[in-house]
């Protein structure tokens, strides 16, 4: 997992529910796997990043909206 995702996940760990954090960890690992397979310019990688950002945004919105 890249340092960017690792730092982001560490910051989020105490701010979002555990289930959302676990989902983000899995998504970050999927992104890294796709990069290692050479999908860096593919729509697959873009989709995975978009899903990560969407889940992240939703989790933060739930917390901030509480």
């Amino acid at each position: 997992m890249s340092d960017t995702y690792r730092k982001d996940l560490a910051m989020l760990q105490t701010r979002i529910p555990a289930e959302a954090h676990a989902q983000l960890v899995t998504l970050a690992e999927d992104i890294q796997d796709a990069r290692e397979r050479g999908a860096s310019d593919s729509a697959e990688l873009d989709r995975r990043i978009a899903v990560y950002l969407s889940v992240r945004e939703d989790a933060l919105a739930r917390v901030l909206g509480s």
Side-chain angles (χ1 to χ4, degrees):
M1 183 181 317
S2 75
D3 283 343
T4 301
Y5 288 103
R6 194 170 286 120
K7 289 175 185 175
D8 188 51
L9 291 167
M11 182 272 303
L12 291 170
Q13 187 169 12
T14 59
R15 292 176 172 85
I16 63 173
E19 66 186 37
H21 187 264
Q23 185 178 11
L24 287 173
V25 168
T26 299
L27 290 168
E29 289 169 348
D30 288 347
I31 291 167
Q32 185 63 33
D33 290 344
R35 282 191 173 128
E36 289 172 359
R37 286 193 323 268
S40 61
D41 292 328
S42 75
E44 174 191 3
L45 183 59
D46 290 344
R47 183 190 62 77
R48 290 172 190 260
I49 292 170
V51 170
Y52 177 93
L53 293 173
S54 176
V55 170
R56 182 186 191 278
E57 183 178 322
D58 289 347
L60 287 171
R62 279 185 270 143
V63 170
L64 295 174
S66 300

